[in-house]
Amino acid sequence: MTKIEILKTMVHTDQKNASAWFLLGLEYSELGDRGEALLAFTQALAYGDEELKNNIVGELNKLSQVKPLRNGGSVHEAGTFQTRDIHTPVTLRVIEGGKHLRKNKGEVRISTLDKNVSFAEVGGLQDVKEAVRMKIVQPFLATGLCKPIRQKPGSGVLLYGPPGCGKTFFAKATAGECNATLLHVKATDILDSRVGASEQNIRTLFRTARTQKPAILFFDELDALGYAREKNSSAWKRGINDFFFMELEGEASRADKLLIMGATNMPWDVDPGFHRPGCFDQLIFVGPPDAEAREIIFRLKLEGRPSEPIDFAQLAGWTDLYSGADIEYVVELATEQVLHDFLTTGVERPIMMSDLRESIAATRPTTIEWLRTAKNYVKYANDEGLYDGVEHFLAKHKRI
């Protein structure tokens, strides 16, 4: 077990173990996980003695000098990850999901996820869930029924939408529904400046995925791999693009339990050739969380933080079009306000509705710019119906 895992076990066993909370905060600070560090230090403040509180104040002062990052996030992180050793011609590292480790030359990283995440853990988004069940899950699970009519049990699926709205988490939940292993790959894990190395990495990924069946091979940041030819002036990238397309077409001819999925924030930058049948021919829009999902996200992000009774429905009503990452940022700002008041007055207090309201007033949904860009594509480049999902969403939000 890692040091963080040991400390988390300690605070789970004894919620009032201030020293363990403090040490956990120090560990998260070392990792640069500011939000988790703030949460741990807040708990340590609630249960610690005066001597420990002085140490906590010192660490909070250090932490307050670091500007928080607004990074993308999913609806919420869940699932237990595991590592596996895989032997292939190219060195292949299967790592614990969520870790950002340096990639050595000649090495490809794949994150794997246990089959314990399902749609039940995704709040709201009922229309998206139903579309995925009909287009992906049921054909994937009914392989025996598909064979007599020669239907491919699940073709390539591309999830698209604004950053921070949970496309990656939705892919994990899809894998759970399919009782399949999710092999999560980012474009940065494949692309290599050495001649032929990127193509070899792609070949290795597909070969490895076939040994892990039933599996879903999930390409994050697909636009970086399958960039549109008419926008691509790099012969190197075009070669990778062509090789990737060739592997996809080869996989489409196999009626087995391997599903190809992708995610992108910029579907208009993906080469049209990748939308052919058998490749990423099914596009599913994953938009900003609806009111039900926003309530759930607020509950998750405030869980474990001292707070007064919260009206989650009202918070959801105030945050229309906010992504999951935006809501996480709102909660972090509110937590910082509580800590700031403690540092300046010495008075401890819980997070209040007024803190969250002020944090919401100081922010805006980061999805709006993306949706306005998508609106132009819907208007001028949706002849084939690729963006029908976002078109229906925009029809319900005419103010965008």
Side-chain angles (χ1 to χ4, degrees), residues 37-348:
L38 284 172
L39 175 58
F41 286 141
T42 301
Q43 295 290 74
L45 278 173
Y47 304 119
D49 57 23
E50 289 303 317
E51 182 179 354
L52 183 60
K53 286 182 180 180
N54 290 332
N55 293 331
I56 297 169
V57 170
E59 293 301 324
L60 287 173
N61 280 324
K62 295 178 186 177
L63 205 60
S64 65
Q65 296 172 8
V66 182
K67 187 177 180 181
L69 299 177
R70 298 197 63 176
N71 54 354
S74 58
V75 171
H76 68 282
E77 296 302 324
T80 304
F81 295 83
Q82 64 178 8
T83 59
R84 302 175 185 170
D85 295 323
I86 301 175
H87 302 286
T88 56
V90 173
T91 304
L92 190 68
R93 294 180 70 194
V94 182
I95 66 169
E96 180 180 334
K99 300 294 184 183
H100 301 285
L101 303 178
R102 182 175 298 174
K103 184 180 74 170
N104 298 322
K105 287 187 176 182
E107 189 171 67
V108 186
R109 299 183 303 174
I110 300 180
S111 300
T112 64
L113 178 71
D114 280 343
K115 309 163 189 176
N116 59 351
V117 183
S118 69
F119 287 163
E121 297 171 63
V122 179
L125 303 176
Q126 297 303 325
D127 292 343
V128 181
K129 291 179 186 177
E130 187 60 28
V132 171
R133 280 196 184 96
M134 293 298 294
K135 296 179 179 180
I136 304 173
V137 178
Q138 291 183 5
F140 191 88
L141 294 176
T143 307
L145 298 176
C146 294
K147 285 183 178 179
I149 57 176
R150 297 182 180 179
Q151 180 185 357
K152 177 75 166 66
S155 53
V157 177
L158 178 61
L159 304 177
Y160 74 98
C165 290
K167 293 183 289 297
T168 300
F169 184 75
F170 212 92
K172 295 174 183 177
T174 301
E177 293 287 327
C178 292
N179 196 31
T181 300
L182 182 76
L183 303 175
H184 181 195
V185 184
K186 293 185 177 181
T188 52
D189 299 327
I190 294 176
L191 297 177
D192 194 309
S193 59
R194 295 172 299 163
V195 176
S198 299
E199 289 84 347
Q200 181 61 40
N201 289 343
I202 293 170
R203 180 184 291 112
T204 299
L205 288 173
F206 279 92
R207 186 180 301 161
T208 302
R210 293 181 197 117
T211 69
Q212 300 292 306
K213 296 183 297 185
I216 293 179
L217 183 54
F218 177 62
F219 292 92
D220 220 341
E221 306 162 353
L222 181 69
D223 49 283
L225 275 175
Y227 195 64
R229 288 176 176 84
E230 65 270 16
K231 300 179 182 180
N232 195 350
S233 60
S234 169
W236 170 68
K237 289 295 291 291
R238 285 199 301 272
I240 297 171
N241 185 316
D242 293 340
F243 191 86
F244 184 37
F245 181 68
M246 181 182 68
E247 286 286 342
L248 284 173
E249 282 196 316
E251 194 55 48
S253 64
R254 297 181 174 89
D256 53 14
K257 288 238 172 184
L258 178 61
L259 176 68
I260 309 299
M261 290 186 71
T264 180
N265 301 330
M266 296 178 288
W268 37 81
D269 282 345
V270 176
D271 193 278
F274 285 95
H275 298 314
R276 295 179 190 175
C279 296
F280 296 99
D281 56 330
Q282 300 187 55
L283 272 69
I284 296 178
F285 174 62
V286 182
D290 53 25
E292 178 188 351
R294 294 196 297 274
E295 280 193 50
I296 293 173
I297 297 168
F298 270 112
R299 290 181 187 276
L300 288 166
K301 298 306 177 184
L302 286 165
E303 187 177 8
R305 302 177 191 239
S307 64
E308 69 172 8
I310 299 295
D311 187 341
F312 292 102
Q314 191 169 50
L315 291 176
W318 289 340
T319 50
D320 187 31
L321 298 180
Y322 274 59
S323 69
D326 294 335
I327 292 174
E328 182 176 5
Y329 185 65
V330 165
V331 173
E332 187 172 327
L333 285 180
T335 304
E336 286 185 356
Q337 182 59 48
V338 172
L339 293 174
H340 176 267
D341 290 351
F342 171 77
L343 291 173
T344 54
T345 66
V347 178
E348 297 179 35

Side-chain angles (χ1 to χ4, degrees), residues 1-13 20 24:
M1 295 178 68
T2 66
K3 192 172 182 179
I4 285 182
E5 289 172 337
I6 293 171
L7 290 169
K8 288 174 74 173
T9 301
M10 291 173 64
V11 298
H12 180 73
T13 304
L24 186 60

